[in-house]
Amino acid sequence: MKKLYLDVHALETVPPSCVNRDDTGSPKSAIYGGKVRSRVSSQAWKKAIRENFKKIFREEDLGLRTKKIVEMVQKDISKLDASIDNEKAEKMAIKALENAGLKIKNVESGTDALMFMSRKQSEELARLIIVGEKDKKAFKKALKEHPSFDMALFGRMVASDAELNYDACCQVSHAISTHEVQTEYDYFTAVDDLDTNTAASSHIGMNEFNSSTLYRYATIDLTELYKSVGLEVPKVAEGFVKAFVQSMPTGKENSYANRVLPCLVYVTIRSDLPLNLVGAFENAVQSNAGYEEESIRRLEKQAKNMYGLLADQPVRSFVTCTHDINGILGENEPLSKLLSDVGVAVQQLLEDEVA
């Protein structure tokens, strides 16, 4: 099959917030183009995307990253055969996982590292141990097949057995601000509601925060995703774009109520290579009247300069923008239509390749 890539770009202005902080409590940052930028790590946003998947996909289509995999299989054993008591089900779960090649040292604490396992994999392991399967290859096959959508996208690494690894079909960049950012400080105090004898504060503290217009980017190798989820690719691609747009890391959310949506979403399907357009902001945007308008113009210019000179034109492109755009990125359409169009386009292109 010919390679196909789904690229998702977004510009998103986040108000005063600290959605992703370092070990000192400061908002994460990065130097790009010689200027300090606000940064939200890819790990933080991938977690937010996975949480958003729960609103989009069925529970059985998603996996769990946990050390409590014995508990997962144990519960499935009990569901499949209610006559098996909990103690026996636990022993059977351990045996099933060990047959699959995993090391279970302590049931209480679970595995040494987080294990990404789909619900279908857990159910199949439970079924095999209940029917008395003796072939360990069958257990390993069960743990290798039936990946969940999020496992196929974000991959799985099993240090004890590389055969159980899944290469990620999706890459997510660190979001960075299109402009220079300075950290600000929020000095706060708290009083004791039951201490009426003094006006002094019972607690004094300092929070760090910033606000910025972020450029976000992710890409999916649709060809590799097809190998894992088959004809479900259009649904997964459409759901991923929706989750990417609607997600937000939850750091300090109760203190800042910073839930916003992008001002621009730009999706392309490419056949040459994935293409991050962050170079549009290597020269930090400078403005006294907000950063969104100029950031959109920069992104349009970068796309125009890259296409045809260094990279191919996208096979298909879709754009949703709350500002006026000049058509370089495509025809502006509501997000609901963009999502539907992405799913249809992916299905058509894959059908052409499979045929």
Side-chain angles (χ1 to χ4, degrees), residues 9 32-33 37 176 178 215 275-285 298-299 301-303 305-306:
H9 313 262
Y32 183 64
R37 314 297 182 97
I176 64 168
T178 65
Y215 170 72
L275 186 59
N276 189 326
L277 297 174
V278 70
F281 314 110
E282 192 272 339
N283 181 14
V285 173
R298 291 278 196 92
L299 191 67
K301 183 179 179 181
Q302 179 74 358
N305 290 342
M306 295 295 289

Coordinates of all heavy atoms in Angstrom, one line a residue, residues 9 32-33 37 176 178 215 275-285 298-299 301-303 305-306:
H9 N -3.1 20.1 12.5 CA -2.4 21.4 13.0 C -3.5 22.2 13.7 O -4.7 22.2 13.3 CB -1.9 22.2 11.8 CG -1.0 21.4 10.8 ND1 0.3 21.4 10.9 CD2 -1.4 20.7 9.8 CE1 0.8 20.7 9.9 NE2 -0.2 20.2 9.2
Y32 N 13.0 28.5 21.4 CA 12.8 28.2 19.9 C 13.0 29.5 19.2 O 12.4 30.5 19.5 CB 11.5 27.6 19.6 CG 11.3 27.2 18.2 CD1 12.0 26.2 17.6 CD2 10.3 27.8 17.4 CE1 11.9 25.9 16.3 CE2 10.1 27.5 16.1 CZ 10.9 26.5 15.5 OH 10.7 26.1 14.2
G33 N 13.9 29.5 18.2 CA 14.2 30.7 17.5 C 14.8 31.8 18.4 O 14.7 33.0 18.1
R37 N 9.6 30.2 24.8 CA 8.2 29.9 24.4 C 7.5 29.1 25.5 O 8.1 28.3 26.2 CB 8.1 29.1 23.1 CG 9.0 29.6 22.0 CD 8.7 31.0 21.5 NE 9.5 31.4 20.4 CZ 9.2 31.3 19.1 NH1 8.0 30.8 18.8 NH2 10.0 31.6 18.2
I176 N 4.0 24.5 21.4 CA 4.8 25.7 21.8 C 4.1 27.0 21.3 O 3.3 27.0 20.4 CB 6.2 25.7 21.3 CG1 6.3 25.8 19.7 CG2 7.0 24.5 21.7 CD1 7.6 26.1 19.2
T178 N 3.5 30.6 19.7 CA 4.0 31.2 18.4 C 4.8 32.5 18.7 O 5.4 33.1 17.8 CB 2.8 31.5 17.5 OG1 2.0 32.5 18.1 CG2 2.0 30.3 17.2
Y215 N 0.9 26.6 19.0 CA 0.8 25.8 17.8 C 0.9 24.4 18.2 O 1.9 23.9 18.9 CB 2.0 26.2 16.8 CG 2.0 25.2 15.6 CD1 1.1 25.2 14.6 CD2 3.1 24.3 15.6 CE1 1.2 24.3 13.6 CE2 3.2 23.4 14.5 CZ 2.2 23.4 13.5 OH 2.3 22.5 12.5
L275 N 4.4 16.4 7.8 CA 5.0 17.8 7.6 C 4.5 18.7 8.8 O 3.4 19.2 8.7 CB 4.7 18.4 6.3 CG 5.4 19.7 6.0 CD1 6.9 19.6 6.0 CD2 4.9 20.2 4.6
N276 N 5.4 18.9 9.7 CA 5.2 19.8 10.8 C 5.5 21.3 10.3 O 6.5 21.5 9.7 CB 6.1 19.5 12.0 CG 5.8 20.3 13.2 OD1 5.4 21.4 13.2 ND2 6.0 19.6 14.4
L277 N 4.5 22.2 10.5 CA 4.7 23.5 10.0 C 5.1 24.5 11.0 O 5.0 25.8 10.9 CB 3.4 24.0 9.4 CG 2.9 23.2 8.2 CD1 1.5 23.7 7.7 CD2 3.9 23.3 7.0
V278 N 5.8 24.0 12.1 CA 6.2 24.9 13.2 C 7.2 26.0 12.7 O 7.4 27.0 13.4 CB 6.8 24.1 14.3 CG1 8.1 23.5 14.0 CG2 6.9 24.9 15.6
G279 N 7.9 25.7 11.6 CA 8.9 26.7 11.1 C 8.2 28.1 10.9 O 8.9 29.1 10.8
A280 N 6.9 28.1 10.7 CA 6.2 29.4 10.6 C 6.5 30.4 11.7 O 6.4 31.6 11.6 CB 4.7 29.2 10.4
F281 N 6.9 29.8 12.9 CA 7.0 30.6 14.1 C 8.4 30.6 14.6 O 8.6 31.0 15.8 CB 6.0 30.1 15.1 CG 4.6 29.8 14.6 CD1 4.2 28.5 14.4 CD2 3.9 30.9 14.1 CE1 2.9 28.3 13.8 CE2 2.6 30.7 13.6 CZ 2.1 29.4 13.4
E282 N 9.4 30.2 13.8 CA 10.8 30.3 14.2 C 11.2 31.7 14.6 O 11.9 32.0 15.5 CB 11.7 29.7 13.1 CG 13.1 29.4 13.5 CD 14.0 30.7 13.3 OE1 13.7 31.5 12.6 OE2 15.1 30.7 14.0
N283 N 10.7 32.6 13.8 CA 10.8 34.1 14.1 C 9.5 34.4 14.9 O 8.4 34.5 14.4 CB 10.8 34.9 12.8 CG 10.9 36.4 13.1 OD1 11.2 36.8 14.2 ND2 10.7 37.2 12.1
A284 N 9.7 34.6 16.2 CA 8.5 34.8 17.1 C 7.6 35.9 16.6 O 8.0 37.0 16.2 CB 9.0 35.1 18.5
V285 N 6.3 35.6 16.7 CA 5.3 36.6 16.3 C 5.3 37.7 17.3 O 5.4 37.5 18.5 CB 3.9 36.0 16.3 CG1 2.8 37.0 16.1 CG2 3.8 34.9 15.2
R298 N 0.9 33.6 9.3 CA 2.2 32.9 9.2 C 2.1 31.5 8.8 O 2.9 30.9 8.0 CB 2.9 33.0 10.6 CG 3.4 34.3 11.1 CD 4.7 34.7 10.5 NE 5.3 35.9 11.2 CZ 6.1 35.8 12.2 NH1 6.5 34.5 12.7 NH2 6.5 36.8 12.8
L299 N 1.1 30.8 9.4 CA 0.9 29.4 9.0 C 0.5 29.2 7.6 O 1.0 28.3 6.9 CB -0.2 28.8 9.9 CG -0.4 27.2 9.9 CD1 0.8 26.6 10.5 CD2 -1.6 26.8 10.6
K301 N 1.3 31.2 5.1 CA 2.5 31.5 4.3 C 3.5 30.4 4.3 O 4.1 30.0 3.3 CB 3.2 32.8 4.9 CG 4.4 33.2 4.1 CD 5.0 34.5 4.6 CE 6.3 34.9 3.8 NZ 6.9 36.1 4.4
Q302 N 3.7 29.7 5.5 CA 4.6 28.6 5.6 C 4.1 27.4 4.7 O 4.9 26.8 4.0 CB 4.7 28.1 7.1 CG 5.6 26.9 7.3 CD 7.1 27.3 7.2 OE1 7.4 28.4 6.9 NE2 7.9 26.3 7.5
A303 N 2.8 27.2 4.8 CA 2.2 26.1 4.0 C 2.4 26.4 2.5 O 2.9 25.5 1.7 CB 0.8 25.9 4.3
N305 N 4.7 28.3 1.1 CA 6.1 28.2 0.7 C 6.7 26.8 0.7 O 7.5 26.4 -0.2 CB 7.0 29.0 1.7 CG 6.7 30.5 1.6 OD1 6.2 31.0 0.6 ND2 7.1 31.2 2.6
M306 N 6.2 25.9 1.6 CA 6.6 24.5 1.6 C 6.1 23.7 0.5 O 6.8 22.9 -0.2 CB 6.2 23.9 2.9 CG 6.9 24.5 4.2 SD 8.7 24.3 4.2 CE 8.8 22.6 4.6

